Amino acid sequence: MHASKCLVTGCAGFVGGHLCEKLLAMGHTVAGVDNFFSGHRRNMASFADHPGFRFYETCVTRTDELAKILAGDVPVRVCFHLAAVVSVAWSMDHPDRTMEVNHRASQRLHALCREQNLSTFVFAGSAAEYGETGQAAIKEEAAGPGTVQLSPYGRAKYLTTSLVEQSGYGASLRCFNIYGPRQDPASPYSGVISRFCMQALAGEPVTIFGDGGQTRDFIHVADVVRAYLLAAGLDDSADPPGTPLHGAFNVGRGESTSILELASIIAELAGSRSEPRFFPPRPGDIRHSLADAGKLAAATGFKPVTAMRPGLADTVAWMRVGAAGQS
Ligand code: UD2
């Protein structure tokens, strides 16, 4: 495969770190950008010293800095734009900052990538762009100009995805609930799987918001990384190979798991007798969220390969050793 220089914004984040690791292992070179707002140096530990990796500590709102990085000695060919305000809850209290980072800065970077003739711009969209659809399995068309997103996070992601779609340049991956090793369990905004794993391993009660009957479409980070490569036209297994995608694509497994089921599987895998403890539902919590991921499958043949149990076992195993050594 032809080696490309890639820009990965959010390279110290949970997904960004995994993506950089994979790109470098494939022989690409990576310029990584992060400001450690929610990312961690530990997420770059496995590749920070790789000769093909160069790190730039800056914020994605600094478009002038990004322009310099893009036009370096070896020009960047592909941009993966993952840096963002990542917490739905934080966005509720900081709508202006969320709009600046998740939409306006993304808009500027998209324009820059286009001007500089990068082969593509792949944006981290989100299932939060859909709001409450009432649909069993959500298709991409469910988000439109009349959609009412439940958070500034969802709104800003939607606006950026829309501009990517309308421009005819680049792709947006609307990922559903991503989980796996290195997801930070320690923040109140952390994903449910990382929190449950940490609680179960510590022998503490698992915290369930609401009755636990709410469902999510969980997808392992390794599958999400493959989806990013396909979207950029960098995956050899794609059919046809090497064609960047255009437009918005759901990334999920198309399978529902309830929060109660999740608590029970994680307790079993962790060998824990932790009991669930019930708390009031979170404001704005969606009841059911399930992807119809047929569009990405039809375009690329993509099929997630990590089933729920092995994926959770992998996450519990990492948390047992990895989380203990976090700095
Ligand atoms: C996820 C993403 C968010 C956005 C959204 C799109 C994460 C962390 N967040 O939000 O960025 O893309 O999907 O719709 O991936 N819960 C508990 N106990 C806990 C923690 C959570 O019961 O200790 C419940 C929570 O009330 C919710 C479900 O678990 O019903 C999933 O919560 P989450 O925070 O992992 O993710 P979500 O779907 O709110």
Side-chain angles (χ1 to χ4, degrees):
M1 123 147 334
H2 185 70
S4 297
K5 181 170 174 186
C6 305
L7 171 65
V8 177
T9 72
C11 64
F14 160 52
V15 181
H18 282 280
L19 177 60
C20 289
E21 194 176 77
K22 181 71 183 175
L23 287 167
L24 291 163
M26 290 168 75
H28 301 297
T29 53
V30 175
V33 167
D34 209 295
N35 67 349
F36 301 116
F37 180 74
S38 56
H40 299 281
R41 271 188 203 280
R42 62 175 183 260
N43 288 337
M44 305 195 296
S46 65
F47 57 84
D49 296 329
H50 190 291
F53 180 71
R54 174 128 185 235
F55 178 60
Y56 300 85
E57 185 172 345
T58 188
C59 180
V60 285
T61 55
R62 296 289 311 272
T63 309
D64 52 337
E65 298 282 331
L66 299 179
K68 281 188 219 151
I69 297 167
L70 285 182
D73 303 343
V74 179
V76 171
R77 272 189 49 74
V78 174
C79 173
F80 294 98
H81 181 40
L82 281 68
V85 164
V86 292
S87 166
V88 173
W90 193 89
S91 82
M92 298 296 231
D93 296 330
H94 304 88
D96 295 342
R97 184 68 187 156
T98 303
M99 200 51 79
E100 173 60 16
V101 177
N102 290 9
H103 179 50
R104 285 190 289 271
S106 305
Q107 186 172 26
R108 296 194 295 268
L109 180 57
H110 177 265
L112 202 58
C113 291
R114 202 174 187 187
E115 266 164 43
Q116 307 224 355
N117 289 318
L118 269 68
S119 69
T120 191
F121 172 91
V122 184
F123 175 64
S126 168
E129 294 177 37
Y130 292 115
E132 198 73 75
T133 62
Q135 293 178 6
I138 304 170
K139 283 191 195 294
E140 287 79 0
E141 306 84 78
T147 303
V148 179
Q149 286 82 20
L150 304 183
S151 61
Y153 170 89
R155 182 75 192 150
K157 289 278 182 181
Y158 169 71
L159 291 173
T160 305
T161 295
S162 298
L163 98 86
V164 168
E165 271 188 304
Q166 283 158 23
S167 71
Y169 171 71
S172 171
L173 297 185
R174 288 185 178 142
C175 295
F176 280 62
N177 288 62
I178 310 171
Y179 74 98
R182 298 193 208 143
Q183 190 167 28
D184 182 5
S187 137
Y189 307 131
S190 295
V192 64
I193 290 182
S194 61
R195 281 171 60 87
F196 282 6
C197 289
M198 184 180 67
Q199 291 163 342
L201 287 170
E204 293 166 1
V206 294
T207 52
I208 296 190
F209 301 133
D211 63 6
Q214 67 269 44
T215 59
R216 293 291 184 272
D217 185 341
F218 293 103
I219 180 159
H220 192 273
V221 65
D223 283 321
V224 171
V225 164
R226 274 202 312 120
Y228 272 104
L229 298 174
L230 286 166
L234 291 181
D235 188 320
D236 278 338
S237 65
D239 183 21
T243 311
L245 298 180
H246 293 302
F249 296 85
N250 285 339
V251 181
R253 278 188 323 123
E255 280 179 35
S256 267
T257 305
S258 79
I259 298 306
L260 272 180
E261 268 175 274
L262 192 64
S264 142
I265 303 172
I266 291 175
E268 186 199 318
L269 290 169
S272 158
R273 294 212 194 105
S274 292
E275 291 291 326
R277 186 175 289 168
F278 292 88
F279 292 85
R282 270 185 187 168
D285 215 21
I286 295 173
R287 184 72 181 165
H288 300 294
S289 171
L290 174 67
D292 178 328
K295 186 177 171 191
L296 183 60
T300 63
F302 175 73
K303 205 171 171 310
V305 295
T306 311
M308 206 59 203
R309 258 183 180 270
L312 288 175
D314 177 39
T315 310
V316 169
W318 172 80
M319 193 81 70
R320 236 183 248 287
V321 285
Q326 284 184 3
S327 53

